[in-house]
Amino acid sequence: MEAIQKHKGLVFPLDRSNIDTDQIIPKQFLKRIERTGFGQYLFFNWRFDDDGNQREDFALNQPQYKEASILIAGENFGCGSSREHAPWALTDFGFKVIIAPSFADIFYNNALKNGIIPIKMEEERLSKWMEDAQRSSLELSIDLKNQQITDEEGNVISFEIPEYHKEKLLNGWDDIALTLLQEDKILAYENSRI
Amino acid sequence: MGKPETIIEKVWNKHVVHQEEGKPDLLYIDQHLIHEVTSPQAFEGLRLTNRKVRRPDLTYATMDHNVPTKNRHVVKDEISKKQMETLRQNCEDFGIKLADMFHPDQGIVHVIGPQLGLTQPGKTIVCGDSHTSTHGAFGALAFGIGTSEVEHVLATQTIWQEKPKTLNVKVEGNLGPGVTAKDLILAIIGKFGVRFGTGYVMEYTGEAIRKLSMEGRMTICNMSIEAGARAGLISPDQTTVDYLEGREYVPKGQEFEKAAAEWLNLATDEGATYDQTVIINADEIEPQVTWGTNPGMCVPVGGTTPILAEVDHKEDVKRALEYMGLEENQPITSIEIDHVFIGSCTNSRLSDLQKAASIIQGRKVKDNVKAIVVPGSFSVKLQAEELGLDKVFTEAGFEWRDSGCSMCLGMNDDIVPPGGRCASTSNRNFEGRQGNGARTHLVSPEMAAAAAIEGHFVDVRKMAGVLN
């Protein structure tokens, strides 16, 4: 996993709640056996019509969001299926940070495993950013180490993230290697149950 | 006697391998189930890092998401075919037992685990599939994981987990005639919403739960994830023990007696406390139908779609009604359907098929309704055929298929066309779930069967002969 300490980028506002992983990446794209190349299918049924043409009414298709790397969404982002193809599609498309009032449990974990920073933030705060990003464009700077977001006006907002998740993101640590440091304990546990 | 504990705490504490202040616990996993869709990248990861599967003996694989349900020998989609071949190769290379699509034990992963007795009370069970919560019906702590976690479990047989908060979903009273486990779980999600379980493990308790069969309990626990909870479980009792006795992977003879005693001891202690409790009265629950694009958007069959002026989150409701092609304040019974799907890890077990067949018996599927039954496993299919259920369905005009996930998510050829409307016994009515542009209404097997006959939703309790 790639380490991530700071990120500055454009916001794509997606003002919907309960965005499920079927919307993030529909099932017809889950058949690949690789981890890469899923970005082209991100939000596929919202981005494209039945003939494969871009839908103009979906904002991500508009030029001002082309370079967006921060996604702001409504409550319960990533609910439904456990498919890790959802964060794979988001990172492959270029998203590094997702900010929402709440996340579904499985998605939250899956995002962390792929170097995406999932930030929980109250709706009131988000609604202003959502409006700004919808109206014109909005750039935010995320400082993971200090758990702060700075907006264009210089306002600094703190956010919460569990320390152990933060450490892993900052260092890009491989989870399995960390766990295998406890191998003697795993073995002892197995032996105790025979 | 120590402090009274919930089953959640008991199972958790028995599986902690390593604990450290300020970190999640490292939990041992007793049973890892895998399938073709969420495992290939995990095996690829093992190969790249030169790691092996720590406990192939605690890992079991099947093919379910992609498999054809019409003709097993023809997988038209080359990418699906490759994914299944990849699973076969991975299982061979890493020494994992596989029930491939021609194997008599094949079926939807959450149907075969319990059927084979791999699922047992007190076990920790994971699978790269969010409906792993199903196995909680036995008092197992079972939850869905992503592919990185699948790789982690393959390599280490453990997983890092934050100790969850506990939520008691207490169901008082009794379900009325014609009202099922599916109606109960839909009513729970309808009442408390699609995220009230987030961050919790739920335990379903109360009189109505105790009276459910194991298959009904599986339907309930299956949809815990639709309420936001990664896991939902039910304390084991004699119903649990009776279901498991004699199954392939369950201990035999004296060992069984010993295991059964341990299982019963896992039940939540009298006086144990939960972080949160919600209560619902089963007596008040009627057959449910979802009208929108998440499982919380549901009403009793006698109800109507929402009135926009009366709802919060107006935009979400409006969007959902638009997608579903429905008006506000529209009676549910006026909604005409053109597809019926009886199947999925929620409702494809023998009793589900029996109940649907009891409605279908001697009746005909309405013209222009395409109706299919997809048994949850090969074994369910064979048992149903021994009872002659296949004849009941086919004579009425249903198609009788081979087992798999099928139209629940439409990864194989079984999809609802754009604009099509399906009465489905599955678990998710998300946009495009059953096919791009498809409209899904979640219901019980009985309600799906009744809709197939009438061509629109009806209160199954009002059909002639149903409540005798």
Side-chain angles (χ1 to χ4, degrees), chain B residues 59-76:
Chain B
T59 314
Y60 191 97
T62 193
M63 297 174 180
D64 56 5
H65 283 62
N66 269 323
V67 298
T69 59
K70 253 185 179 167
N71 181 354
R72 283 285 204 252
H73 294 276
V74 184
V75 183
K76 285 188 217 144

Side-chain angles (χ1 to χ4, degrees), chain B residues 328-358:
Chain B
E328 61 174 324
N329 198 21
Q330 182 174 342
I332 296 297
T333 50
S334 74
I335 302 172
E336 295 185 355
I337 51 105
D338 41 51
H339 283 72
V340 172
F341 170 57
I342 297 179
S344 88
C345 57
T346 315
N347 280 127
S348 64
R349 298 177 181 84
L350 187 63
S351 63
D352 297 315
L353 306 191
Q354 285 174 307
K355 287 177 197 161
S358 74

Side-chain angles (χ1 to χ4, degrees), chain A residues 1 5 10 19 21 23 25 32 53 58-59 74 77 81 83 99 109 114 135 145 149 157 163 176 183 187-189:
Chain A
M1 183 173 92
Q5 281 103 24
L10 274 176
I19 294 172
T21 53
Q23 305 319 313
I25 181 159
R32 296 157 59 92
N53 301 313
F58 189 60
F77 185 82
S81 159
R83 59 189 70 165
I99 314 178
N109 269 313
N114 288 280
R135 200 167 38 236
K145 188 161 185 289
I149 305 178
I157 294 101
E163 193 63 27
I176 298 177
E183 199 171 2
L187 194 63
Y189 181 87

Side-chain angles (χ1 to χ4, degrees), chain A residues 27 75 84 179 190 193, chain B residues 14 28 30 148 152 195 432:
Chain A
K27 75 272 179 169
E75 299 180 280
E84 197 162 322
T179 305
E190 286 173 331
R193 302 216 310 175
Chain B
K14 278 183 203 288
Y28 198 77
D30 295 323
S148 295
H152 189 281
R195 48 183 178 269

Side-chain angles (χ1 to χ4, degrees), chain B residues 69-70 370 372-375 381 399-403 414:
Chain B
T69 59
K70 253 185 179 167
K370 181 183 162 72
I372 68 171
V373 186
V374 183
K381 187 181 186 201
E399 290 180 38
W400 179 251
R401 301 287 190 87
D402 285 327
S403 61
D414 306 337

